[in-house]
Amino acid sequence: MLKVGIFFGGQSREREISFAGGRTVYDNLNKELFTPVPIFVDSLGQFILLDWQFIYKGTIRDFYPSVQSIAQAGAAADSFFQIYVESLGEYAQLNAANIASEVGRLIQPSEFAELFDFAFLALHGPYGEDGAIQGLLEWYGIPYSGSGVLPSAIGISKLAQDKLMKAAGFKRPLSVTLSRSTWLEAQHSTVNQLITHYSQLLGWPLVIKAPAQGSSIGISILHRTDEVAFTNAVNKAFFIQTISKVEWNGFSEEHKIHWVRTLSDIREGVGLPVEIHQSHRKLKTVYHPAELLHYLDTSKWSGTLQLHAQDAENEIIIEQFIKGREFSCIVIEDEMGQVIALPPTEIVKRQELFDYRSKYLPGMSRKLTPINVADEYINAIMEQCVELFKALQFNVYARIDGFITEEGGIYLNDPNTTSGMMPSSFFFHQAAEIGLNPSQFLTYIISTSINARIGSGKKINQLIRKSEKLDKDIEALTTNATPKQKIAVIMGGFSSERHISVESGRNIYEKLSSSTKYQPIPVFLTGSEAEHELYVLPVNMMLKDNADDIRDKAKAKYKVHKVIEEIRERAARITQKYVTHQIAKPEKISYKKLKSMVDGVFIALHGRPGEDGAVQKELEKLGIPYNGSGVVSSQTTINKYETNEILSRYNILVAKHRLVGADEWNANTKQVIADLEKEFAYPFITKPHDDGCSSAVKKIKNREELIAFAELMFRDAEPLLAKQSATLSLKENEEFPQKAHFLVEDLISKGNADHFLEVTGGMVTQLQANGSRRYEMFEASEALASGEVLSLEEKFLAGEGQNITPARYSPNPDLQKKYSLQVKATLQQVCEVLDVEGYCRIDAFVRIYTQEQRAETVIIEVNSLPGMTPATAIFHQAAINGYRPYDFIDKILQYSFAKKAAHSSEKA
């Protein structure tokens, strides 16, 4: 097998998405062709042969630097802040090998050839897309994915692109540059002169961007003359943050922490380390956010400070705003060198900027493929993207972004030699339109990249042998194919968590599709509680990132767009070589038809239906094995009020709780409010009593918020109420269900405990020979929320939030083990009482009483079908027990088969 070194992480501001993309590649590489070798690049630029279990952490900050390394460096491990290794300052430089040894082994480039045969580059931004790593790999004779050194260097520099594209005749928005030195010397009057000059030259709005970062980093849009907004936008592009003493002193302690945390964010803030400047004089370099908080709080300073990122821009771009439809187009070349544009995708945004959240959280934006314009314009976009690919001498694949105006003018503005490799990214989304699933597309990239390197004239005989061997292995997959178990992966639904369900379902599909054992079949569920509608999906439909788009496409009369038909014809050489088991079009099926198609089902639904036993009931009627808990247990655990009541009867601690119904609220609102305020002290928690774990959970701090929550929950029509949404600070496009009841719970607090933490625990079950069930309880994860409650993003989105696994109960190893066993015992009791089986997620709070050496666990909720997105904590927990995600999924499925077999033998 070809050993593939996957390079991910890196030093850029997009390192978390690179980390998540590397994990996607690691999981989706076809295990019959490739052996993945994870090469984690840390933010100091060191190469680490990563122990596999760390690949499944939600973020880099969850594991690197380790808690032990942070403690040895003298930093607080349980502070308010999430840090990268550079925040350890000089300690990190002096102890690089020791820090790396906590997660793997530090390696040198001279060792690359011993470890892998091919390098797959999932790095982003500077140090990854700029030709640096490509040049290093060429020096050591390692073939790598994508473009070579020169086109990579061009692909990262917006300044170089602008000049080359103008010279080649491509339409470009008008633009000027602003140097760092000019900006730092600018006075109040100069700033106004700059605004006047740029607006007269370029018109309104103005686009201000950092030229050497990722496509969503350091960019702002300015609509009118506004000195403060212009200054903030330019500072953002230069990665400079200002703070005045008056402003700082006006902050509350909580706001100060939030301000430092925001500044430390490498995507939207300056990032650390920072140099503190005042009056053009450097005062200090600060590495750790806690150190910065301490400096701003205790140092004797006045006036205004400027905080400068160490990695920043020397020159930025001020650009004319192009009003039009935004698109992104993946361009590929086949092994004969023919360049093919895949169907361009239109990005339908809820706001002007396609930012990090919009890009990577399912359901936050819509991607229409192909872009919704006349065919002649779609073809014109593709033709120009192909011409630009050739003009910049790109290789293998690229992502080219742009705009098309109402008049049909095409502006290409951001050619990238590397695309994001999240499961719903353009990279996989558009490849699916020609029939390639993620595993097949990665195989194509590797094969084509080896051929591209042959063209370099370096070690060509060795590369030709690798190419020929891989071709034979690919051919053998279709000619010597062995039968696989067919598993329907049911995703979607109609709850407020339907988009996350799609992300979970895709993840399960992708893990199974790259295995040697299973053939997954994607099935989308929609309809209503009264009638479930099931649709078998083609891969291009499954990879749409919005559940509502999938629903609409599945229910509509199926027709392949003429442009896509033409692209498929041009790409026929690729699909004939790499595609097997293709589903041509969506098909509506019944549960009865499903039984004839598959050997088992993996339910990847969240909330209702799925976690409520409704789907399970239909599958049991037909004797189809499925994952997770049975009908009765599912019906119990979806009902948070009933779950609390049952656990209370078994003396298991839960929050004080009360159910509020729409009828009683509407009949006597004042009395209900008075009763709640008498029973519960503000703040308290409100949530739907019968939905998914992240649906509309709110911390209610006053009467106004309580009323707003109730009015939203009990509203008559689906659209959100504007005033109430503002009162609760709902995010753009945040889902909020309509329900007949909601649950009120005490806000669990530390009380008189010595240590207090929020945890999420998981488990997996095994069926013993005697028919009994054995629970394998995982180490719980400590969940760190950046806001009032854990958000949707922090639970499911790669690069957001932080989960420390195992949870940190005590710095003393013996006590840590003792407390862990106590928590596990309570969580297992919960599972036994509620008859949960297969696997689950249990959210809880833990109070540690040091003198008594006692851990007190308060249960919040139980999820019988936990989220299975790539970043979810249950995969971190399973990894500690030795299960890779595929192994964990396989174990869940094997339990379902064993349970079905045992049930059948009992009947016989």
Side-chain angles (χ1 to χ4, degrees):
M1 285 192 190
L2 195 72
K3 290 185 289 184
V4 177
I6 303 164
F7 284 70
F8 62 127
Q11 301 178 68
S12 85
R13 293 172 180 273
E14 293 187 296
R15 67 188 71 153
E16 292 289 3
I17 286 303
S18 169
F19 180 75
R23 176 173 56 222
T24 304
V25 175
Y26 184 90
D27 281 338
N28 281 280
L29 283 181
N30 190 314
K31 304 308 182 290
E32 295 177 276
L33 296 172
F34 307 112
T35 301
V37 180
I39 308 297
F40 171 62
V41 185
D42 75 7
S43 43
L44 301 176
Q46 302 170 128
F47 301 103
I48 300 171
L49 181 61
L50 195 66
D51 292 344
W52 69 265
Q53 62 266 34
F54 294 106
I55 296 167
Y56 299 106
K57 299 294 186 180
T59 73
I60 295 169
R61 297 159 298 182
D62 287 351
F63 72 95
Y64 191 81
S66 70
V67 171
Q68 293 87 346
S69 293
I70 293 171
Q72 288 165 7
D78 58 347
S79 70
F80 302 105
F81 306 110
Q82 303 170 4
I83 65 167
Y84 293 101
V85 68
E86 61 267 32
S87 283
L88 299 185
E90 187 179 357
Y91 178 88
Q93 301 289 346
L94 297 175
N95 297 276
N98 289 337
I99 295 172
S101 70
E102 299 278 353
V103 299
R105 179 171 71 85
L106 197 64
I107 59 174
Q108 300 302 319
S110 57
E111 300 177 73
F112 287 173
E114 301 168 20
L115 297 169
F116 50 85
D117 308 301
F118 179 88
F120 197 104
L121 302 179
L123 297 166
H124 290 280
Y127 308 103
E129 293 183 68
D130 60 357
I133 188 69
Q134 291 82 356
L136 182 66
L137 290 165
E138 290 206 1
W139 182 265
Y140 286 98
I142 309 290
Y144 54 87
S145 60
S147 288
V149 176
L150 177 61
S152 296
I154 295 169
I156 195 62
S157 172
K158 295 180 178 70
L159 290 169
Q161 292 167 9
D162 188 61
K163 292 175 184 176
L164 290 169
M165 290 167 70
K166 283 177 180 173
F170 291 95
K171 278 188 176 181
R172 298 287 297 152
L174 296 174
S175 64
V176 294
T177 59
L178 173 63
S179 72
R180 189 181 193 87
S181 59
T182 299
W183 177 245
L184 292 178
E185 292 166 6
Q187 303 298 316
H188 171 78
S189 58
T190 313
V191 172
N192 284 318
Q193 289 172 10
L194 288 173
I195 296 174
T196 301
H197 172 68
Y198 294 144
S199 61
Q200 289 176 349
L201 183 67
L202 306 173
W204 294 107
L206 296 174
V207 180
I208 301 166
K209 60 172 69 173
Q213 303 295 326
S215 57
S216 59
I217 301 289
I219 299 179
S220 303
I221 297 174
L222 189 68
H223 287 272
R224 62 188 180 278
T225 299
D226 184 331
E227 183 181 346
V228 173
F230 180 81
T231 299
N232 290 339
V234 172
N235 280 339
K236 179 180 177 181
F238 279 123
F239 301 102
I240 296 170
Q241 178 70 52
T242 62
I243 183 72
S244 72
K245 187 70 171 179
V246 172
E247 187 180 11
W248 181 257
N249 287 342
F251 291 164
S252 65
E253 288 305 308
E254 185 179 359
H255 194 169
K256 287 177 179 179
I257 292 165
H258 174 74
W259 189 91
V260 173
R261 185 186 286 136
T262 302
L263 176 135
S264 305
D265 187 329
I266 55 174
R267 298 156 308 178
E268 294 296 328
V270 171
L272 292 172
V274 292
E275 294 180 354
I276 300 176
H277 290 245
Q278 189 170 44
S279 301
H280 305 293
R281 182 170 63 93
K282 177 184 170 183
L283 303 179
K284 184 180 177 62
T285 299
V286 175
Y287 293 88
H288 195 287
E291 180 189 3
L292 177 60
L293 179 64
H294 179 75
Y295 179 88
L296 293 174
D297 249 353
T298 63
S299 297
K300 294 179 180 178
W301 61 282
S302 60
T304 299
L305 298 179
Q306 284 189 335
L307 286 71
H308 296 228
Q310 283 199 333
D311 279 340
E313 305 287 343
N314 192 50
E315 198 171 30
I316 65 168
I317 299 172
I318 317 290
E319 194 174 76
Q320 173 192 19
F321 179 83
I322 302 299
K323 185 179 179 181
R325 295 185 176 186
E326 188 171 357
F327 63 82
S328 190
C329 183
I330 301 293
V331 181
I332 61 176
E333 58 180 349
D334 65 19
E335 287 159 355
M336 304 300 291
Q338 178 191 11
V339 180
I340 304 166
L342 298 180
T345 298
E346 180 177 358
I347 304 155
V348 181
K349 308 183 294 292
R350 299 297 179 102
Q351 52 198 35
E352 281 185 315
L353 281 176
F354 190 43
D355 62 7
Y356 185 92
R357 187 171 187 264
S358 300
K359 269 188 178 180
Y360 299 117
L361 183 64
M364 292 298 105
S365 62
R366 294 185 66 208
K367 298 174 182 175
L368 303 181
T369 306
I371 183 171
N372 188 24
V373 294
D375 290 2
E376 62 182 289
Y377 292 133
I378 300 174
N379 286 319
I381 289 170
M382 294 192 299
E383 287 168 11
Q384 287 209 26
C385 288
V386 166
E387 289 306 309
L388 183 57
F389 185 97
K390 293 176 180 177
L392 299 181
Q393 301 177 51
F394 286 172
N395 307 118
V396 187
Y397 76 96
R399 194 192 85 227
I400 298 173
D401 300 337
F403 294 88
I404 181 166
T405 66
E406 291 181 1
E407 300 75 31
I410 298 169
Y411 293 81
L412 305 181
N413 72 332
D414 199 4
N416 296 272
T417 54
T418 294
S419 176
M421 293 179 188
M422 298 282 279
S424 62
S425 71
F426 298 116
F427 185 72
F428 296 123
H429 176 90
Q430 292 180 21
E433 294 293 350
I434 59 171
L436 272 70
N437 69 28
S439 182
Q440 293 159 351
F441 193 40
L442 293 174
T443 301
Y444 150 79
I445 291 292
I446 293 169
S447 177
T448 310
S449 294
I450 292 172
N451 283 326
R453 302 289 85 81
I454 291 172
S456 71
K458 302 170 185 174
K459 299 188 177 182
I460 63 169
N461 290 330
Q462 180 183 340
L463 291 169
I464 288 170
R465 286 193 295 272
K466 283 183 180 177
S467 178
E468 290 174 345
K469 172 67 167 59
L470 181 55
D471 282 346
K472 288 179 182 177
D473 291 343
I474 292 168
E475 186 178 358
L477 284 183
T478 52
T479 55
N480 304 322
T482 55
K484 296 182 178 183
Q485 284 184 289
K486 294 181 178 179
I487 303 294
V489 183
I490 300 181
M491 63 189 85
F494 35 80
S495 80
S496 59
E497 292 187 312
R498 62 195 179 279
H499 306 300
I500 294 297
S501 168
V502 168
E503 183 82 348
S504 287
R506 268 200 302 261
N507 188 40
I508 300 298
Y509 171 90
E510 290 167 2
K511 300 291 189 293
L512 298 181
S513 68
S514 63
S515 76
T516 60
K517 185 175 181 178
Y518 296 106
Q519 179 188 335
I521 298 171
V523 176
F524 186 79
L525 185 147
T526 186
S528 64
E529 291 188 15
E531 183 181 0
H532 296 172
E533 298 177 22
L534 303 177
Y535 294 87
V536 177
L537 298 178
V539 67
N540 65 319
M541 208 170 283
M542 180 195 71
L543 287 178
K544 295 189 180 303
D545 66 339
N546 186 302
D548 297 341
D549 284 348
I550 297 174
R551 177 199 62 208
D552 294 345
K553 290 280 186 183
K555 292 168 77 77
K557 185 176 180 181
Y558 184 72
K559 183 180 179 182
V560 179
H561 196 286
K562 181 183 176 184
V563 170
I564 292 178
E565 281 185 337
E566 293 168 353
I567 296 169
R568 288 177 180 177
E569 288 177 14
R570 289 197 288 273
R573 267 199 301 259
I574 295 172
T575 51
Q576 286 167 8
K577 179 174 179 178
Y578 298 101
V579 176
T580 56
H581 309 302
Q582 186 173 10
I583 297 169
K585 60 182 181 179
E587 178 188 359
K588 187 176 182 180
I589 60 168
S590 62
Y591 281 107
K592 187 175 180 180
K593 176 69 181 291
L594 182 67
K595 178 178 172 59
S596 69
M597 297 171 62
V598 300
D599 301 299
V601 164
F602 196 105
I603 307 170
L605 299 164
H606 302 316
R608 290 180 179 270
E611 291 189 72
D612 61 351
V615 174
Q616 292 87 336
K617 186 181 289 186
E618 297 299 327
L619 297 174
E620 285 194 2
K621 287 178 187 175
L622 298 165
I624 305 173
Y626 61 86
N627 58 305
S629 294
V631 174
V632 175
S633 179
S634 299
Q635 288 172 337
T636 300
T637 54
I638 191 67
N639 189 319
K640 298 178 178 69
Y641 177 79
E642 187 178 343
T643 297
N644 283 345
E645 292 288 288
I646 292 171
L647 295 179
S648 295
R649 291 199 288 271
Y650 283 84
N651 297 316
I652 296 170
L653 292 176
V654 297
K656 184 172 72 173
H657 53 277
R658 174 182 165 168
L659 205 59
V660 177
D663 290 342
E664 62 169 322
W665 177 270
N666 293 329
N668 198 342
T669 302
K670 288 184 179 180
Q671 186 60 51
V672 174
I673 292 172
D675 291 345
L676 290 174
E677 291 179 335
K678 184 177 179 181
E679 188 174 355
F680 299 90
Y682 291 113
F684 52 74
I685 297 296
T686 54
K687 63 177 85 166
H689 84 293
D690 64 347
D691 215 325
C693 65
S694 59
S695 176
V697 180
K698 295 296 174 185
K699 179 180 177 181
I700 301 300
K701 300 181 287 300
N702 52 53
R703 182 180 294 183
E704 183 185 10
E705 291 184 353
L706 172 62
I707 293 170
F709 184 92
E711 289 177 347
L712 278 172
M713 191 64 65
F714 299 148
R715 69 193 188 277
D716 295 327
E718 186 175 342
L720 294 182
L721 307 172
K723 181 183 174 183
Q724 291 83 343
S725 298
T727 299
L728 294 178
S729 302
L730 297 191
K731 294 178 181 176
E732 183 77 25
N733 211 23
E734 184 173 342
E735 296 275 353
F736 203 100
Q738 297 168 261
K739 297 286 183 179
H741 296 83
F742 68 82
L743 187 64
V744 178
E745 290 182 339
D746 254 348
L747 179 67
I748 305 299
S749 62
K750 182 179 180 180
N752 61 351
D754 299 295
H755 184 42
F756 179 66
L757 61 163
E758 184 174 0
V759 303
T760 177
M763 64 85 181
V764 68
T765 58
Q766 298 171 22
L767 208 59
Q768 308 283 67
N770 63 1
S772 65
R773 186 187 307 151
R774 184 176 83 82
Y775 288 94
E776 182 179 353
M777 305 305 297
F778 296 153
E779 289 287 349
S781 300
E782 180 182 349
L784 304 181
S786 61
E788 295 175 336
V789 295
L790 277 173
S791 68
L792 188 74
E793 295 93 327
E794 288 171 320
K795 285 185 179 181
F796 300 115
L797 174 59
E800 289 286 332
Q802 190 172 18
N803 289 287
I804 305 297
T805 312
R808 299 168 296 181
Y809 303 117
S810 171
N812 181 302
D814 293 333
L815 290 176
Q816 169 73 17
K817 184 176 180 180
K818 184 173 185 175
Y819 296 142
S820 173
L821 289 172
Q822 291 177 20
V823 173
K824 284 181 182 179
T826 301
L827 299 185
Q828 180 166 334
Q829 186 186 2
V830 170
C831 292
E832 291 168 348
V833 165
L834 298 174
D835 197 30
V836 177
E837 56 186 319
Y839 66 122
C840 77
R841 165 187 172 137
I842 304 174
D843 294 339
F845 286 96
V846 176
R847 298 186 182 109
I848 302 294
Y849 298 91
T850 307
Q851 191 169 356
E852 303 169 47
Q853 295 189 6
R854 178 170 64 91
E856 181 180 80
T857 305
V858 185
I859 305 302
I860 300 302
E861 59 187 70
V862 179
N863 303 115
S864 61
L865 290 176
M868 298 290 271
T869 66
T872 197
I874 201 165
F875 287 128
H876 321 167
Q877 299 162 13
I880 289 177
N881 283 29
Y883 301 118
R884 287 176 167 83
Y886 166 75
D887 301 325
F888 180 46
I889 295 164
D890 180 46
K891 199 168 187 69
I892 292 167
L893 286 169
Q894 288 309 305
Y895 179 84
S896 72
F897 291 133
K899 179 182 166 186
K900 171 70 167 53
H903 183 66
S904 298
S905 63
E906 284 174 12
K907 284 180 121 181

